[in-house]
Every structure is written in structure tokens, then in C-alpha cells.
Amino acid sequence: VLYPKGLSQIAKTILSPVTHMRNFVSASFFATANGIIPDGEAIKKAYQALQTPLKGTRQQNDFYEELLKLGVVNNNVRLGDLTRLLEDVNFGETMTADKGFRLLLKPLSKIKSVSQDLYTAEDDFWKIASWAMEKSRLEKTLTNAGLTRGQTFKRNGIDVVFDDDFLKREAADIVKNNIPNYDYVSDFVKSLRKLPIGNFVSFPAEIVRTGTNIVRRGLREINEEIVLPDGRVIKPFQGIGYTRLFGFGATTVAVPAATAEAFAAIYDVTDEERDALRRYVADWSKNSTLLPIKEEDGSFKYVDFSHANAYDTLVRPIQTVLNSVADGRTDEDGIMDDFIAGTFASMSEFAQPFISESIWTEAVADILARGGRTRDGFQVFNEQDTAGDKAYKIMAHLVEAQMPFSLNQLKRLDQSIESIDVIQDIPGKFDKYGQAYEFGDEFAGLFGFRSVAVNPGRTLKFKVADYQRGARESRSLFTREALRGGPIEPFEIVDSYLNANRALFDVRKNFKLDLDAARTLGIDTIGLRNATDRLSRVDVNTIDNNIFRPIEISDEIAQAFARNAANIGAVNPLITARAVLANIQAQLRLTSLNEPEFPFFENPLLPSAQETPATPNSLNLPGIDSNLISNTVSPN
């Protein structure tokens, strides 16, 4: 299990040029989250200290060694997970035990070594630059406070010498605690790498730790006092603290939100269109920060800003709650229900890196556990395929999970350049699904900012499948309970019927929102009809007109009730429940899908309802105000 897990993680990280670019871009957020924008001197110093084969690096090896001793560099979190995993399985020893196989893997080993150095350098670059900037602003702050090199000041009751050693250690402490560092990952989280679940679980754990530390450090800097040699008590680090908190707030919340608003303004995208867009993006982007784009022809694209945002782990749970509330009802109780549901959903989002299948395990589960379908519903193979075709498609799916170099991304880039056909499956402008790609969108994708075209007609077909599955599962709430074969009371039939219709109401209401969103995104009448051709026109038209169609009790179900009762020598309970069901059914036909929630029905067959009927005398109402009665006049 761990061998292919390690191989797939190598393929998707250090052997992927796309991941290298995204790693470098996302690591820049660690500096801005601490209120730092490195200057030219810090950038130059950081580049020259890197340990890579690139021109201009390895010029300050002594400086790098010093930072290594201070614990600032060479502690990339994702790479730390991967390196320890490879050590766990003795990767490179047992895999290359055979001489021939060792010679075969030797070129790959060299590529892996260079790629690993680059992956480390991308992380080190921003850490070194951040360390230099932290050291510089600490020195300026203390100098502006009136201290000179060599003087002693009191900090937390301890004498501290203002010298280069203090500045280096203090800056190193900030970087180690405020920027993800594998050395600080707990042993428990590190041990999760040995499980078939989880992908680079140390990274989100470090984002939480360092995010909390940034806020804590900022607050401490704002309030921390030191005693100068002349006895004065000052707060010299206030400016750094405010800058740090501002940088963290801007990086995690303000910049993503402002960027999304700017895109909406530039491309004239309304709030209604943005809400509709979120219903038609990929599942993994539903709770991301989306940058909406409206083309001149009225079609839509979006950029998933969260791909390049290292702090998305912190923001996503909040976004998940907001989205759940936004998709819910407008009544107070409904909002609270949605808030609670959104909170649980956000907990699931946060836990995904820890509990989801690893890259390889997921590919295997698609074949063995999900019957040839991915978690997103993509069909790996068809049950009616020949044995040979099945074997080929299964092997291709498993190999793709281990494929390096972000092959799909590079295929799309190749596809976008019509005059070049190098690695794509089908030469020409279109892929096998008839989609075309633009070079600008795909090139931006190398840095994590790919524009994805929204195709409401194609996506609606998947939503139709979800609707059909939801409708079947809703009906089964009634048939499974009512036709279980054993003794059943009439009130249980009514309860199960209400529960089934309550679920069906939510399914149809949600599909109505999908239809409305598709129209908002520009689908025409023909496109809508083609996308919903697997549904009856009655089904589509009634939902489209906000008419709720309750579950019908067919003759087959009625006969099944009679047979089950006869088999156990009981009276058919449907006879007693039939009148109540007919009354509920008649009222449900008048129910609109615009209603905020499923209407309340009291089950008159419940034993408690029969024994203690609800009457005005039992409602414990307050007494009538006699003054109101006596003051009432004729016009009233």
C-alpha cells in the first residue's frame, strides 16, 4: 500500500513542473501573511543562498549553513511527509535490489534528486527572504526606540543584549513558528503518513499552527513592553504587530474577497450569476474563493483562487458555512439549521486531507469499492465493456494515478496550441469530449490560476442523475419501511409517507434551483431540453413551475401491503391509513416549491393524538382581557 502511495506522491509533487510553480507562488503567501513584502536586497540574498543547480545559486553557502543551524531552511512540510514515507518503505533500497532494475531507475533517480532540491528551494526562498526582512525590521524598530548595538534592555524581566546574535535568533524564531515547518509537526500527525488515507496531512496541520501563531505573535508585539537602559518603559514592537495582523487578515480574507469582488465588477457579473456559477463548478471548488469571468458572448468562466492560496485551509470552513446558509432558507429556524449543517460540512472540509483516500488508494477504490466510478461520478469503465477493454481502462486509470509531470494539465496546454500535437490523445483542437481550450487559460493554470469554462448543459446532465438518485432514495424511505414484511401500524405508514415526501420536497426544490441557475448561466431552451431528456416532461415542467408532486401509492404497492398482511394473518393496515394518506396527498399537491420548508402535518393516527385530541381547552391560552372587550366600539 505504501509503495504506490509514495510513488504517486512523488509523481504529483517533485516530478511535476506545474506543482513546482504552484508551490513557489503559494509559498509567497507565508511572507504576506506576516505583513512582509520582501525588498530587492532580501530577494537577492535569498536566491544566492539557495542550494540548487540553477545559475546564481550556491553563492552564499556559509549563510545557508547558518540558517540551517537556526532551523530556518530545509524543512518543507510536504517534502518532509514524502521523505519520511519513502524511508518507511526503504524506497531506493528494495526497489533497486535487482541490478537491471537499478540501472533502469537510475535516470529517474537523478531527476528525482534535482526536482527534490528545487522543491526545497522554492520553500527556502521565501523563508530566507522572510528571515532577512524580520531581522531588518526588528533592528530598525529597536534603533528607532533609542537603542544602539551592544546596549542591554529588559524583556520579560530578563536582560537582553541588542546585538546581531539576538536579531538572528529572534528572526529565526518568528520564521520557524509562523511559517510551516516540518520539524514542528506532531508525532501523531506525522504517523498518519503510514496509513492508506490522507495526502500530505502535515501541511494543513501546520497551516493551523502557524496561522494561530501569527495572530498570537501580532497581539504580543502590540502589547509587549521593554525597559530601556534609562528606565523608560516602551512598546517598540507595536508597529510590527499591527502590520503582521493586517497582513494576515489581508492574505487570508481581504485579498481573496476583494479580488473576487474586483473580478465581478470588471466582468459585470451580478450576485445572482455568482450564486448560479457556484452551483455549476466542480465539487472541489464549491467552497473555494471563485473569481467569476463573463465572456462577451454571455458564457462564464471562473478561476479557483483557492488553488494558489496557502491559507485556504483556514478560510474554507468559513466559506462552507456561508455557502450552506446562502443555499438554504430565509426563515430564522431554517438559517440556524443550515448554519449547523454548514458547520458540520466545514468540519468535513477541514478533515479531508486527513481522512480522504490517498491518491493511489482512491484510484484502487474507484475500481474495487465504487464499481468503476470515481468519487466525482466519472465512469472508468462500462459494465458492458469486453473483458479486454475493462482491463485496459482499469490499468490506464491506475497508471494515471502514478503519472508524473501533471500530464493532464500539459495535455490541455498542448490542445490549446492548434499547430502543435505532442502529448494529447486526439490531434486537433478538441478533446474526446468535444471541449476546446485556450492557451492563456491553460498557461495561467501552470501557476494555479487556470480559467475553467462553465458548461451548464453538460453539468446539468450530472445534476439530472443526482436528482434521479435522490428521488429514488426518497421513495425508498416509504417503501422500505412500509413494506418490510412484518407487523406495521397504520400510523407508521403515515409517518413513513411524510418522511419520504419531506425528502422528495428537498430534492425537487434543489433541482429547481439547478434549473434556474442553468438559465442564469445562459442555457437556452433546446439545451435545457437536451440536458433533461432522461426525465419526463411532466417531471421537468411541474418542477419548473414550482409544483410539488407527492409520491403516488401505486396499485403494486397497495397489493404488496395486502399480501404482507395476509402472510402474517393481520388486517391490512393500508385500509385504515388510506383516507389519511389521500388527505395529505391532496394538500401536498397544493404545496409550492417556493415554500421555505416542507409543511407541517400532524399524524391523526398517532396513539397520543387519538387519546388526547388537541382542543382549545388544552392549549393553556392566556385569559381574555376584559378591558379590551369593554372598550370595543361598533366600527371596530
Side-chain angles (χ1 to χ4, degrees):
V1 172
L2 296 186
Y3 259 118
K5 179 180 180 180
L7 276 171
S8 60
Q9 291 188 350
I10 288 176
K12 306 304 181 186
T13 52
I14 62 177
L15 293 183
S16 168
V18 176
T19 307
H20 279 279
M21 294 179 187
R22 291 178 182 174
N23 182 47
F24 181 76
V25 171
S26 64
S28 66
F29 284 81
F30 302 140
T32 59
N34 281 280
I36 291 174
I37 299 178
D39 57 24
E41 183 62 30
I43 289 175
K44 180 181 177 182
K45 198 171 185 179
Y47 183 78
Q48 290 177 343
L50 296 179
Q51 303 297 295
T52 73
L54 297 177
K55 185 178 180 180
T57 60
R58 297 184 188 272
Q59 293 186 13
Q60 297 196 37
N61 292 338
D62 292 341
F63 176 49
Y64 190 85
E65 285 293 330
E66 184 180 15
L67 293 178
L68 197 60
K69 291 177 182 178
L70 288 170
V72 173
V73 294
N74 200 19
N75 41 42
N76 183 288
V77 178
R78 287 194 181 97
L79 194 57
D81 261 345
L82 179 56
T83 303
R84 300 304 188 281
L85 177 59
L86 298 183
E87 289 174 359
D88 292 338
V89 295
N90 294 323
F91 189 87
E93 296 176 19
T94 54
M95 285 289 280
T96 58
D98 180 77
K99 183 178 179 181
F101 198 40
R102 184 166 62 250
L103 292 173
L104 183 65
L105 290 182
K106 193 172 182 180
L108 179 61
S109 178
K110 291 181 179 179
I111 296 174
K112 172 181 167 292
S113 178
V114 173
S115 297
Q116 187 168 318
D117 289 343
L118 289 173
Y119 204 80
T120 301
E122 292 147 14
D123 191 59
D124 284 348
F125 176 84
W126 294 107
K127 287 181 176 177
I128 297 171
S130 296
W131 178 87
M133 293 298 294
E134 293 286 4
K135 180 175 177 290
S136 174
R137 66 181 181 180
L138 280 169
E139 183 175 8
K140 288 178 182 178
T141 296
L142 293 174
T143 301
N144 292 337
L147 284 168
T148 58
R149 289 291 189 104
Q151 281 189 311
T152 301
F153 63 91
K154 281 193 178 293
R155 186 187 192 192
N156 299 323
I158 300 173
D159 288 336
V160 178
V161 180
F162 176 32
D163 58 11
D164 206 48
D165 183 58
F166 162 75
L167 294 173
K168 288 178 179 179
R169 285 187 289 103
E170 189 70 11
D173 184 66
I174 294 172
V175 172
K176 286 188 293 186
N177 285 289
N178 290 13
I179 296 179
N181 188 316
Y182 190 73
D183 294 339
Y184 286 79
V185 179
S186 71
D187 290 337
F188 170 74
V189 173
K190 286 180 180 179
S191 68
L192 296 179
R193 70 176 182 270
K194 300 179 181 180
L195 300 177
I197 60 173
N199 291 300
F200 305 108
V201 296
S202 296
F203 186 73
E206 272 299 276
I207 288 295
V208 173
R209 183 187 73 88
T210 55
T212 305
N213 285 346
I214 290 173
V215 176
R216 182 185 289 121
R217 176 88 193 190
L219 293 175
R220 193 181 87 187
E221 288 168 333
I222 290 170
N223 296 291
E224 187 175 10
E225 296 178 341
I226 67 169
V227 182
L228 297 177
D230 60 7
R232 285 184 298 133
V233 179
I234 62 171
K235 296 180 179 180
F237 307 118
Q238 274 189 333
I240 297 176
Y242 284 121
T243 303
R244 196 181 305 281
L245 291 180
F246 175 80
F248 185 71
T251 302
T252 57
V253 180
V255 169
T259 306
E261 291 298 330
F263 267 68
I266 291 170
Y267 292 99
D268 192 26
V269 181
T270 66
D271 289 342
E272 182 184 7
E273 289 169 337
R274 291 171 69 178
D275 291 340
L277 186 66
R278 195 171 287 279
R279 297 188 73 88
Y280 277 82
V281 301
D283 285 343
W284 54 83
S285 294
K286 287 189 182 300
N287 295 312
S288 297
T289 300
L290 302 180
L291 310 183
I293 300 171
K294 185 195 287 186
E295 301 282 51
E296 292 183 2
D297 62 359
S299 61
F300 289 84
K301 293 181 177 179
Y302 68 92
V303 176
D304 190 336
F305 189 76
S306 296
H307 274 324
N309 185 359
Y311 288 98
D312 180 62
T313 303
L314 296 178
V315 178
R316 185 171 289 260
I318 301 171
Q319 187 66 53
T320 304
V321 172
L322 294 177
N323 291 342
S324 296
V325 174
D327 288 341
R329 300 175 291 272
T330 54
D331 63 293
E332 184 175 331
D333 290 339
I335 288 178
M336 282 308 301
D337 291 343
D338 292 331
F339 179 79
I340 294 169
T343 303
F344 282 109
S346 69
M347 291 166 61
S348 172
E349 287 270 354
F350 180 78
Q352 279 302 307
F354 301 91
I355 63 175
S356 62
E357 300 147 343
S358 67
I359 300 169
W360 170 255
T361 310
E362 180 179 350
V364 174
D366 293 339
I367 306 302
L368 300 181
R370 285 186 279 270
R373 282 190 179 274
T374 67
R375 285 192 300 178
D376 301 319
F378 175 77
Q379 193 172 39
V380 178
F381 62 85
N382 191 300
E383 287 293 341
Q384 304 308 315
D385 277 336
T386 63
D389 285 345
K390 277 186 184 180
Y392 171 78
K393 291 176 181 178
I394 289 172
M395 186 59 65
H397 184 64
L398 296 178
V399 169
E400 187 177 354
Q402 309 283 42
M403 191 65 68
F405 311 125
S406 300
L407 190 62
N408 288 335
Q409 176 80 46
L410 297 180
K411 278 183 180 179
R412 290 194 297 266
L413 187 63
D414 186 14
Q415 198 98 45
S416 68
I417 308 173
E418 293 186 49
S419 58
I420 299 177
D421 294 317
V422 180
I423 58 174
Q424 55 187 324
D425 298 326
I426 302 175
K429 181 179 179 180
F430 298 96
D431 67 5
K432 60 184 179 181
Y433 299 108
Q435 288 184 290
Y437 302 99
E438 296 181 16
F439 176 77
D441 295 341
E442 299 310 317
F443 184 75
L446 298 178
F447 303 92
F449 298 104
R450 176 176 175 248
S451 298
V452 182
V454 177
N455 187 335
R458 184 181 175 207
T459 308
L460 187 55
K461 288 181 177 292
F462 293 102
K463 292 187 176 294
V464 166
D466 290 340
Y467 166 74
Q468 290 176 313
R469 182 171 58 254
R472 285 194 304 271
E473 291 173 353
S474 298
R475 292 187 180 94
S476 72
L477 290 176
F478 173 65
T479 55
R480 186 177 63 238
E481 177 66 20
L483 302 178
R484 61 177 182 254
I488 185 169
E489 296 292 333
F491 77 85
E492 293 179 293
I493 297 176
V494 174
D495 273 349
S496 61
Y497 185 75
L498 287 172
N499 287 336
N501 277 288
R502 185 180 293 107
L504 185 61
F505 178 86
D506 290 338
V507 169
R508 287 187 167 153
K509 185 180 178 70
N510 186 65
F511 188 61
K512 166 61 175 172
L513 295 175
D514 288 334
L515 294 177
D516 291 343
R519 287 196 178 92
T520 301
L521 295 177
I523 195 171
D524 57 22
T525 303
I526 296 175
L528 188 70
R529 183 178 292 274
N530 291 336
T532 58
D533 57 4
R534 285 185 291 174
L535 300 175
S536 70
R537 288 298 95 199
V538 174
D539 214 10
V540 175
N541 291 336
T542 51
I543 292 174
D544 214 14
N545 290 297
N546 286 310
I547 299 171
F548 177 62
R549 291 170 56 238
I551 295 172
E552 298 288 342
I553 301 177
S554 64
D555 292 338
E556 290 79 5
I557 292 177
Q559 292 168 8
F561 270 111
R563 284 196 302 273
N564 290 341
N567 288 338
I568 61 175
V571 176
N572 185 354
L574 185 61
I575 297 173
T576 304
R578 199 72 189 248
V580 175
L581 295 177
N583 182 43
I584 292 173
Q585 198 174 58
Q587 294 182 63
L588 286 176
R589 289 197 182 99
L590 302 176
T591 300
S592 170
L593 293 176
N594 277 328
E595 293 294 329
E597 58 185 18
F598 188 73
F600 172 75
F601 289 93
E602 185 174 354
N603 186 348
L605 300 181
L606 282 172
S608 58
Q610 292 174 321
E611 294 168 8
T612 54
T615 65
N617 293 332
S618 66
L619 293 181
N620 195 26
L621 297 173
I624 295 174
D625 189 339
S626 58
N627 291 327
L628 273 178
I629 300 299
S630 61
N631 291 334
T632 300
V633 292
S634 298
N636 292 343

